[in-house]
Amino acid sequence: MITHSLFHLKKSQILQMKKILLILLFLLPFFAFSQAVTTAPTIPTANSEITITFNAVGTPLDGYTGDVYAHTGVTINGAQWQNVIGTWGSNTTQPKLTRSTSNANLYTLVITPTVYGFYGAATSATITELNFVFRASTNSPQTANIFVPLFAEGLNMVFTSPANNSAFNLNSNITISAEASVASNLELFANGILIKTTTNTTNISTSHLLTTAGNHILKAVATNGTEVKETTINIFVKTPTVTAVKPVGIKYGININTDNSVTFLLKAPFKTDVLLLGDFNNWTLDGNYQMKKDGEDFWLTIPGLDINTEYAYQYLIDYTIKVADPYSEKILDPWTDQFIKAGNYPNLKAYPTDLTTGYVSTFLINEPTYTWNITDFTKPAQNNLIIYELLIRDFTETDSFTEAITKLDYLASLGVNAIELMPINEFEGAESWGYNPALYMALDKSYGTKNDFKKFVDECHQRGIAVLADVVFNHSFGQSPLLQMYFDNANNKPAADNPWYNVNHNLVDNTSAHWGSDFNHESAHTRAFFKDVLSYWMDEYKIDGFRFDFTKGFSNTIYTGANNWASAYDQSRIDILKDYADHVWSNKPANKPYVIFEHLSDNSEETVLANHGIMLWGNMNHSYNQNTMGFASDANINWISYKQRGWNNPNVVGYMESHDEERLMNKNLQFGNSTATYNVKNINTALSRQELAGMFFFTIPGPKMIWQFG
């Protein structure tokens, strides 16, 4: 059986820790607070009692019949999730919501006597938001982060309808309403024209006919004596999407053109409208940024951008879903960027707080270049590889590529000629082994910049060390744009029309093999996307090959049985996996990149893959550990030999330890055998047995792998 750890600890434990750390990432696109939560009063302040009303419709808690609790804190001096009440999942310390007797989807929570008192915050603190995640009594289902703004004392003015950046059909008759915190003279304007006035009141409302397409600016003004407060919002009247042929030769994501214009290209089958939101239009709906449609693709070219300015952007799909670019090379994360260690990513662009939510993509036209020292690296022979599996954040004190470079001479002195990096693309949360991927081309900023990583690869190549990237194509979690674009909110799973994902896992009964949402590798869309991912890492970073995580999940064959790990021969899966391998090799036919699978299936299937030139993980942990502990049962290590498996070539990547297994020495000292005069639990004896294991490991023909610090 495979022990497939996604995180440092068991998945359930690390998820608890992440929630305790307030890094709460979820399966759905993030709601604006007004869609899920309303407040009484409408203009709440930190010194007032506030009734929070949560409407579960359209959230994962829609229709939930159990008790609902609030994981809640406040934003103090700009830092979110301060003064959190209780700990995640504690039903005794976290506030319980009150369900309405007339509507099972409506809940209330009273913040009393004041925000300061409820959260135990110092009255000297400046509190600007209430922070919520509403969860079931069993933790799941749960909402996304919901942030409710608070206002300063005194005169304030807000729109109560419509919401900012709302979109409407042409000739809609809408209601425009606003509210003041103090009785005042109120005015409403539409596109600079006064459309309604009232005197000595807190509310103003009028109907308004939208007779022209495009942007409409609404303004509300409150005048109380000499004090004047106003607020402005933008609404958008929809215009039909233009059909036009996309420029020849562009790729998905960002294209920097020769004239320094930028062309965006997004694949979005079955979608009708896509608009760009970003720094270039102040994150407002604007007809000038409505993308054109060409079959399943949407594209738009934007001229006149500053080549030295880094821009953030998102796609708004069918006026309801905001996502980062699936082809992002860099994202800004509003939750976890704050945990990047000092110096690892200097001058990181600030997140566009209060302008949008969720991951945002970025681009810079005049991106800093890197000059490669090694341009013609010849990788070590496949059958002589000594691979060092390495997690940057554990291998270095600073979690950085820069520090890892200082360790390369040490690794070379050990005889290491290949480094296999555990996933270095952006994942969900701040601390993880990376097997919960979010973006597939975006480098994890916590390790450093793009050029820091290029220098790491370059320095490895100067020492004759190849670099392999661990890639996770079996599944992803809720922050994947490909998932967010087509998601069944009611059932909390991928929608039936999702071009990239299966609705359900192929290992239908074995929940131990269910991680996030399951990619559909029998879809041409999925294979095309991941081929682009593979090409990107080879072309951009000169990666020498890949280790593919859990490749047994790469078909839609249905496997049943609670302990079924999809090990049986599967021709569909073989064809898919060969196709990926052939794509990787086509990148450099004369110096073929490495392809390694964590497959661990029946030998009948692994033989076919190995004879195709693919290397496969050979987990020998148990047998070697039986030897090192001094036990004869299950101690046969002959399966580390490719000849014993009947393969044509030495393509077993044998290992005694990987990130999924306990350390041999740990078990030697905990469980080692003993006699009256000999005790494996003695540290010197245990170490000597490790040396002997190495004799019967490195001397067997074929590639070998060491888990860091092994």
Side-chain angles (χ1 to χ4, degrees):
M1 179 182 293
I2 301 171
T3 304
H4 188 83
S5 303
L6 292 186
F7 312 106
H8 292 284
L9 308 173
K10 293 179 181 178
K11 292 190 284 292
S12 58
Q13 292 174 306
I14 195 68
L15 285 171
Q16 291 281 3
M17 290 180 66
K18 285 164 70 183
K19 289 161 183 167
I20 292 170
L21 289 169
L22 311 174
I23 307 161
L24 301 166
L25 301 169
F26 305 98
L27 288 175
L28 298 177
F30 284 67
F31 300 98
F33 88 93
S34 59
Q35 292 176 291
V37 166
T38 57
T39 66
T42 305
I43 304 176
T45 67
N47 287 309
S48 63
E49 178 179 278
I50 305 168
T51 298
I52 301 294
T53 299
F54 166 56
N55 186 344
V57 172
T59 78
L61 288 164
D62 192 346
Y64 176 71
T65 58
D67 291 336
V68 173
Y69 290 81
H71 183 80
T72 183
V74 288
T75 299
I76 296 178
N77 300 328
Q80 295 177 327
W81 292 106
Q82 305 301 303
N83 291 64
V84 173
I85 296 177
T87 57
W88 176 263
S90 173
N91 295 341
T92 58
T93 58
Q94 295 202 310
K96 178 181 174 182
L97 277 66
T98 301
R99 177 181 271 113
S100 168
T101 57
S102 59
N103 185 338
N105 269 325
L106 284 182
Y107 303 83
T108 56
L109 175 66
V110 180
I111 309 297
T112 189
T114 66
V115 172
Y116 288 103
F118 189 80
Y119 291 94
T123 54
S124 59
T126 300
I127 303 177
T128 55
E129 290 177 321
L130 306 178
N131 308 165
F132 295 103
V133 171
F134 298 118
R135 62 171 181 84
S137 59
T138 53
N139 293 336
S140 181
Q142 61 203 34
T143 70
N145 287 330
I146 298 172
F147 300 109
V148 179
L150 299 177
F151 295 81
E153 298 294 330
L155 180 61
N156 291 287
M157 188 72 178
V158 297
F159 277 98
T160 54
S161 178
N164 189 36
N165 263 356
S166 296
F168 299 95
N169 293 322
L170 187 63
N171 295 320
S172 295
N173 196 358
I174 66 171
T175 298
I176 302 174
S177 303
E179 183 173 327
S181 56
V182 178
S184 307
N185 297 331
L186 307 180
E187 299 171 298
L188 287 178
F189 295 82
N191 298 320
I193 299 172
L194 181 66
I195 58 173
K196 179 75 172 183
T197 61
T198 61
T199 58
N200 196 29
T201 183
T202 57
N203 294 280
I204 185 170
S205 182
T206 188
S207 61
H208 183 66
L209 184 64
L210 301 172
T211 58
T212 58
N215 296 84
H216 294 251
I217 304 301
L218 306 182
K219 182 172 72 171
V221 181
T223 303
N224 186 287
T226 59
E227 189 174 12
V228 178
K229 285 291 179 72
E230 65 178 52
T231 186
T232 301
I233 63 172
N234 172 75
I235 63 172
F236 185 73
V237 178
K238 301 175 186 178
T239 58
T241 292
V242 173
T243 298
V245 176
K246 61 180 177 282
V248 175
I250 63 171
K251 58 183 178 61
Y252 291 106
I254 292 291
N255 297 265
I256 308 299
N257 303 314
T258 55
D259 62 356
N260 286 330
S261 64
V262 178
T263 300
F264 299 77
L265 181 63
L266 174 72
K267 180 171 286 295
F270 317 121
K271 301 301 183 182
T272 303
D273 303 290
V274 180
L275 285 85
L276 279 166
L277 301 173
D279 295 336
F280 37 73
N281 59 15
N282 199 33
W283 299 91
T284 59
L285 296 182
D286 187 331
N288 294 318
Y289 295 89
Q290 185 162 5
M291 301 181 76
K292 300 171 184 178
K293 195 174 191 302
D294 182 1
E296 294 183 334
D297 296 338
F298 290 83
W299 68 276
L300 185 70
T301 298
I302 301 179
L305 298 175
D306 183 347
I307 65 171
N308 295 312
T309 295
E310 184 178 14
Y311 293 93
Y313 70 100
Q314 289 174 317
Y315 297 112
L316 177 66
I317 300 173
D318 288 349
Y319 300 100
T320 58
I321 304 169
K322 284 192 297 186
V323 297
D325 193 330
Y327 282 74
S328 300
E329 296 183 25
K330 177 182 173 182
I331 62 162
L332 303 179
D333 178 342
W335 312 285
T336 64
D337 282 354
Q338 61 184 306
F339 298 107
I340 297 174
K341 288 189 176 179
N344 281 8
Y345 206 104
N347 305 312
L348 178 63
K349 178 179 171 64
Y351 184 85
T353 304
D354 297 329
L355 296 172
T356 191
T357 55
Y359 290 162
V360 301
S361 306
T362 78
F363 68 91
L364 174 62
I365 296 172
N366 190 23
E367 194 172 62
T369 58
Y370 179 82
T371 302
W372 292 90
N373 292 311
I374 304 298
T375 58
D376 56 351
F377 178 66
T378 300
K379 62 185 184 60
Q382 184 163 299
N383 62 345
N384 288 326
L385 285 179
I386 301 297
I387 302 168
Y388 196 86
E389 187 186 16
L390 187 154
L391 175 64
I392 292 290
R393 63 174 17 91
D394 281 356
F395 189 69
T396 61
E397 291 289 336
T398 58
D399 299 356
S400 69
F401 296 122
T402 300
E403 184 184 344
I405 291 171
T406 68
K407 316 292 186 183
L408 294 180
D409 288 339
Y410 160 72
L411 294 179
S413 72
L414 294 180
V416 168
N417 60 9
I419 292 175
E420 179 184 303
L421 295 170
M422 291 170 68
I424 52 174
N425 52 301
E426 288 280 7
F427 57 82
E428 303 194 13
E431 289 285 338
S432 167
W433 278 357
Y435 295 100
N436 51 336
L439 278 301
Y440 283 90
M441 298 183 188
L443 192 69
D444 185 349
K445 300 185 301 300
S446 65
Y447 296 150
T449 66
K450 291 177 65 174
N451 283 352
D452 289 338
F453 182 51
K454 289 177 181 179
K455 182 173 176 58
F456 173 84
V457 174
D458 212 8
E459 293 283 346
C460 285
H461 287 171
Q462 290 183 62
R463 293 164 174 81
I465 299 173
V467 180
L468 298 94
D470 198 338
V471 291
V472 186
F473 294 169
N474 175 72
H475 58 269
S476 70
F477 289 79
Q479 294 309 304
S480 164
L482 301 178
L483 183 62
Q484 293 176 341
M485 288 166 65
Y486 305 83
F487 196 78
D488 180 353
N489 292 335
N491 295 298
N492 202 30
K493 61 175 60 176
D497 64 347
N498 192 308
W500 297 281
Y501 290 85
N502 290 316
V503 174
N504 299 303
H505 290 264
N506 49 24
L507 292 121
V508 293
D509 297 323
N510 188 0
T511 56
S512 296
H514 292 185
W515 304 290
S517 294
D518 194 55
F519 274 107
N520 174 14
H521 288 274
E522 294 187 357
S523 164
H525 289 91
T526 302
R527 293 194 302 276
F529 173 73
F530 283 127
K531 287 178 182 179
D532 286 347
V533 171
L534 295 166
S535 295
Y536 172 75
W537 288 95
M538 290 185 287
D539 295 342
E540 182 70 19
Y541 295 111
K542 299 188 183 297
I543 288 292
D544 301 300
F546 302 93
R547 179 264 190 189
F548 289 69
D549 184 67
F550 194 65
T551 47
K552 287 197 294 192
F554 282 31
S555 80
N556 288 347
T557 301
I558 300 298
Y559 293 91
T560 59
N563 295 314
N564 196 311
W565 282 88
S567 295
Y569 189 96
D570 184 343
Q571 188 61 52
S572 173
R573 182 168 62 198
I574 290 172
D575 295 340
I576 291 167
L577 292 172
K578 283 183 175 180
D579 185 44
Y580 281 129
D582 291 343
H583 174 78
V584 171
W585 293 330
S586 70
N587 186 271
K588 295 178 183 177
N591 191 27
K592 291 169 61 174
Y594 308 111
V595 175
I596 302 173
F597 291 164
E598 183 206 25
H599 206 59
L600 306 175
S601 71
D602 287 351
N603 191 51
S604 59
E605 182 168 323
E606 293 208 343
T607 299
V608 175
L609 297 172
N611 291 344
H612 192 65
I614 296 162
M615 290 182 281
L616 297 111
W617 263 25
N619 184 353
M620 298 301 299
N621 173 262
H622 178 72
S623 296
Y624 272 97
N625 214 169
Q626 287 294 96
N627 280 281
T628 61
M629 289 189 295
F631 297 106
S633 62
D634 297 328
N636 191 334
I637 60 171
N638 66 2
W639 203 239
I640 198 171
S641 168
Y642 76 99
K643 292 184 177 180
Q644 188 69 25
R645 298 175 182 229
W647 298 2
N648 294 335
N649 301 299
N651 285 343
V652 181
V653 180
Y655 59 89
M656 297 186 289
E657 297 173 339
S658 79
H659 65 268
D660 276 334
E661 285 81 39
E662 182 56 271
R663 299 285 184 176
L664 299 186
M665 270 297 291
N666 181 288
K667 293 183 72 175
N668 290 351
L669 298 175
Q670 293 291 321
F671 308 110
N673 203 354
S674 64
T675 66
T677 58
Y678 188 88
N679 187 355
V680 176
K681 293 179 183 178
N682 177 280
I683 190 162
N684 291 324
T685 302
L687 286 169
S688 294
R689 296 186 72 86
Q690 292 292 103
E691 292 179 11
L692 186 61
M695 285 274 292
F696 288 92
F697 177 70
F698 292 108
T699 56
I700 297 172
K704 298 292 180 289
M705 187 182 76
I706 310 166
W707 169 221
Q708 63 182 12
F709 312 123

